[in-house]
Amino acid sequence: MRIAIDLDDTIFDFLGYYKQWFPKETDMISKSISKNVYKLKNNREFWENLPLLERPKGFEPYIYSTKRINSKVYTRNCLSKYGLPIKPIYQTICQLSNKADIIKGRCDVLIDDSIFNVKKAIKAGLPALLISRPHNSNIEFEFRIDKLDIREIEKMYNYEKCALQI
């Protein structure tokens, strides 16, 4: 199975680390975060030192899919730091864009922590699963996994394909 994985808050603890860099930022809405991320665009220290949140279990990602605006070199260095496989990184620069527009056909399923990204991918015909994280735990969604574990991914992927007849 060719699995595309989001990076921030799926593999790396972006929000936790972001809050350390912007401790006075109490408004955690995407507009504020986007403005601050633009300030961090060329900050090697930030992007290369994101804490590891979860390591994929039982599989290697086929590709990474992200909405980052930073250099892919920083991303590769962070992946390497944790011994994660270096695979192609597909960056969708605009936060409102659909990741499926550039990864559909290059993978079988997308794993993401953003309900927005998951729903847009599914609507475009790309199977996608929402990984449970504290910021999305209050959202009811049928196609959800709790861990980056191949057994859980395969089970939910097969269920989703059957349910949506993709």
Side-chain angles (χ1 to χ4, degrees):
M1 182 181 305
R2 301 174 305 160
I3 301 171
I5 298 184
D6 173 53
L7 294 166
D8 298 325
D9 295 313
T10 301
I11 291 179
F12 298 118
D13 184 12
F14 173 83
L15 283 176
Y17 199 53
Y18 171 88
K19 289 175 187 177
Q20 292 176 29
W21 282 71
F22 297 95
K24 294 180 182 176
E25 183 77 45
T26 56
D27 190 12
M28 295 303 289
I29 59 170
S30 60
K31 185 177 178 183
S32 297
I33 293 173
S34 293
K35 180 182 76 169
N36 289 331
V37 165
Y38 188 77
K39 292 177 190 175
L40 293 169
K41 179 180 179 179
N42 297 311
N43 189 318
R44 178 182 291 263
E45 182 182 347
F46 180 84
W47 296 107
E48 290 186 358
N49 291 296
L50 287 163
L52 183 65
L53 188 60
E54 185 174 356
R55 181 180 301 279
K57 183 179 176 188
F59 72 99
E60 279 193 8
Y62 190 72
I63 60 174
Y64 297 104
S65 179
T66 184
K67 289 189 174 177
R68 290 181 172 191
I69 60 170
N70 62 287
S71 168
K72 289 181 185 181
V73 171
Y74 301 165
T75 300
R76 284 187 202 99
N77 289 344
C78 194
L79 290 165
S80 183
K81 174 181 177 177
Y82 294 107
L84 293 166
I86 305 302
K87 300 290 183 171
I89 300 165
Y90 289 87
Q91 287 182 218
T92 307
I93 303 300
C94 178
Q95 287 298 314
L96 299 176
S97 295
N98 188 347
K99 288 182 173 187
D101 291 343
I102 63 169
I103 64 170
K104 187 176 176 184
R106 292 180 165 95
C107 63
D108 300 313
V109 63
L110 168 66
I111 311 294
D112 206 302
D113 68 296
S114 165
I115 189 69
F116 176 81
N117 291 336
V118 169
K119 284 183 173 182
K120 278 193 134 191
I122 291 170
K123 189 173 181 180
L126 174 64
L129 303 173
L130 182 69
I131 186 154
S132 294
R133 296 295 185 238
H135 61 272
N136 68 30
S137 62
N138 63 332
I139 299 168
E140 268 194 54
F141 190 67
E142 187 175 7
F143 309 120
R144 178 187 290 271
I145 59 172
D146 292 322
K147 296 181 185 224
L148 290 175
D149 184 310
I150 190 62
R151 290 175 293 184
E152 197 171 333
I153 292 167
E154 286 176 340
K155 180 180 175 185
M156 190 52 66
Y157 170 78
N158 289 328
Y159 170 73
E160 179 181 16
K161 280 187 71 174
C162 185
L164 297 176
Q165 296 187 11
I166 294 176

